[in-house]
Amino acid sequence: MAEMIKEDDFPMIEVKKMNETEVRLFALLFNLLKEPKGISFQRFRKIMPRYYRNEDIDSDRKKLYRDLGQLKSMGFNIKVANFGFQSEDHFPYYLEKESLDSVLKFSKEELEFLSRKLCEVENQDNETLLSLSQKLFSKNLELYPKGIKINKRKKESDTNEETDLIKVIQSIKDKRALVIRYGGKERIIEPYRLIRKNSEDFYLLAYDRSRKNLRRFILPRIEVKKDLREDFISNKKITDKDMNFHPLGFDVHEEEKLQISVANHYSDSLETFLNGYPYSLEDNTFTIQTTNQAALFPFFTKYPDALQTSAENPFCVSFQNHLKQILETYKSVA
């Protein structure tokens, strides 16, 4: 007779209440699954104010990075997208669903065959060969062909840029003026600070003696002609406006006050576009002080349904003239 099954043979799984961290991670993951296009840090602060809406924004930012890192350690493939001049707080985080078969794999025999072929290449100092070798042997260095020598050639322009950068950095440290060539003209500048915007854009904030004001210079376009060995004559204090690289802050015309109403579902998009630039918002009406209203044209060209301001509004008049000019230009070349 079969032995009678007892209740003790199948012990119950103890159900524990989720702690605060587990609840937060679950909510974070649920929102990422619900929004396939991604959610930015600033957006998380709006939809999860219980966890990421404290007075100390840096603390919230670190908490989100830590939580995303924990989800990554659990196997969730979380990525971040980078768009233009937006700040990192507006880069959307998203959950990438990728196939397990999407990674290209080589067998040991295939890698050994490729290594022999690389050794047979006559011109072994080109960038294509270097890039290929780095990809093929990144995780299989024991199969890297010992006979191959790859030397990436430096262009003369690269060397000049490095030399100019060293001179600029030294002038910042010593507080000495420089004569530079920029935009086809020579200028005397007093370098204040190097600024990195996004991942690849580098600028120099410097006092331009001819314009008697702080100016921003694109670093790779600067050609240093001479170190004047002169102390700074300026004593400028760097402000938030100086550090703001949004095109709305470019000096194109006299400062104007714009009041622009947008459709409700475009409000978040315009806030993202304005990131880093001061504005006020009330009932989907944005109030902006700017010296370059044309910087808003690309947004409303992309989202024409967003603009709800009356046609008599000065900005709308300027925008309509801009569209007419584009149409005339198109007709002239069509």
Side-chain angles (χ1 to χ4, degrees):
M1 184 176 178
E3 186 177 351
M4 184 177 293
I5 299 175
K6 301 177 182 178
E7 185 177 348
D8 292 342
D9 292 334
F10 295 93
M12 295 293 292
I13 298 174
E14 184 181 357
V15 178
K16 295 182 179 180
K17 185 178 179 180
M18 294 174 69
N19 60 37
E20 182 76 4
T21 300
E22 291 170 333
V23 171
R24 187 174 71 248
L25 291 175
F26 179 81
L28 186 62
L29 180 60
F30 176 80
N31 280 298
L32 286 170
L33 288 169
K34 191 172 69 170
E35 297 288 344
K37 292 184 178 180
I39 308 172
S40 68
F41 167 64
Q42 292 289 2
R43 183 65 178 162
F44 271 123
R45 298 193 83 213
K46 290 183 179 180
I47 64 178
M48 298 178 66
R50 176 181 170 187
Y51 306 113
Y52 307 112
R53 193 72 176 183
N54 298 313
E55 291 183 4
D56 188 351
I57 190 171
D58 287 333
S59 175
D60 285 344
R61 191 181 289 111
K62 291 176 183 177
K63 184 196 292 185
L64 178 64
Y65 290 165
R66 190 165 57 247
D67 290 345
L68 290 171
Q70 194 163 346
L71 288 177
K72 286 181 182 179
S73 68
M74 296 176 184
F76 295 101
N77 192 9
I78 298 171
K79 299 291 184 67
V80 58
N82 182 334
F83 297 118
F85 56 78
Q86 296 177 11
S87 77
E88 191 173 335
D89 284 354
H90 288 266
F91 294 167
Y93 296 95
Y94 62 95
L95 193 61
E96 185 170 84
K97 301 174 183 178
E98 56 184 13
S99 169
L100 294 176
D101 297 323
S102 62
V103 180
L104 186 63
K105 298 179 181 179
F106 293 94
S107 68
K108 180 180 178 181
E109 291 74 19
E110 288 172 329
L111 282 173
E112 288 177 337
F113 174 79
L114 287 170
S115 69
R116 290 195 298 271
K117 289 298 181 183
L118 284 173
C119 289
E120 295 172 3
V121 178
E122 293 182 1
N123 182 15
Q124 295 182 353
D125 59 351
N126 61 74
E127 294 182 15
T128 303
L129 184 57
L130 173 64
S131 176
L132 177 61
S133 300
Q134 289 173 335
K135 290 179 175 67
L136 288 176
F137 300 98
S138 60
K139 296 181 181 179
N140 303 86
L141 293 179
E142 73 280 2
L143 298 177
Y144 190 88
K146 296 179 181 179
I148 189 169
K149 295 181 181 179
I150 303 174
N151 298 310
K152 186 176 180 181
R153 292 175 177 172
K154 276 193 174 183
K155 300 176 183 177
E156 185 178 349
S157 59
D158 294 338
T159 305
N160 291 338
E161 284 183 12
E162 290 178 7
T163 303
D164 288 337
L165 176 59
I166 292 171
K167 291 178 180 177
V168 168
I169 293 174
Q170 192 63 46
S171 69
I172 294 174
K173 291 172 62 178
D174 297 342
K175 292 190 178 297
R176 302 285 189 176
L178 292 175
V179 177
I180 66 168
R181 188 168 185 80
Y182 189 85
K185 298 180 180 179
E186 285 198 358
R187 304 188 188 186
I188 300 177
I189 64 169
E190 299 173 7
Y192 271 68
R193 186 180 297 181
L194 286 175
I195 299 168
R196 180 180 182 181
K197 194 71 174 173
N198 300 324
S199 58
E200 298 179 351
D201 300 328
F202 290 86
Y203 298 85
L204 173 67
L205 185 64
Y207 179 80
D208 188 331
R209 287 187 178 179
S210 61
R211 301 192 179 186
K212 298 181 180 180
N213 204 349
L214 285 174
R215 296 283 173 173
R216 309 178 188 99
F217 299 89
I218 301 172
L219 194 59
R221 293 177 58 190
I222 295 175
E223 180 185 353
V224 178
K225 304 298 291 184
K226 186 179 179 181
D227 182 353
L228 290 181
R229 301 290 178 183
E230 294 178 4
D231 293 335
F232 286 5
I233 62 173
S234 63
N235 186 23
K236 292 287 187 179
K237 182 179 179 181
I238 297 175
T239 65
D240 291 340
K241 184 178 180 180
D242 296 321
M243 297 297 292
N244 191 330
F245 281 69
H246 197 290
L248 280 167
F250 293 174
D251 293 323
V252 178
H253 52 69
E254 294 295 323
E255 188 173 70
E256 294 179 326
K257 181 179 179 181
L258 306 179
Q259 288 188 312
I260 304 171
S261 298
V262 299
N264 182 50
H265 52 288
Y266 285 103
S267 183
D268 284 349
S269 298
L270 185 53
E271 283 191 85
T272 300
F273 181 83
L274 294 172
N275 175 55
Y277 194 83
Y279 65 91
S280 61
L281 174 61
E282 185 176 354
D283 296 331
N284 293 325
T285 297
F286 290 79
T287 301
I288 307 165
Q289 299 277 151
T290 178
T291 52
N292 182 26
Q293 65 166 314
L296 288 166
F297 293 169
F299 177 85
F300 291 106
T301 301
K302 183 177 180 180
Y303 304 110
D305 296 334
L307 192 58
Q308 299 291 298
T309 303
S310 64
E312 294 78 18
N313 184 285
F315 173 77
C316 286
V317 174
S318 298
F319 181 55
Q320 289 299 325
N321 290 335
H322 168 72
L323 294 179
K324 289 177 183 177
Q325 187 176 358
I326 291 176
L327 181 60
E328 291 301 320
T329 303
Y330 177 78
K331 287 180 178 178
S332 66
V333 298

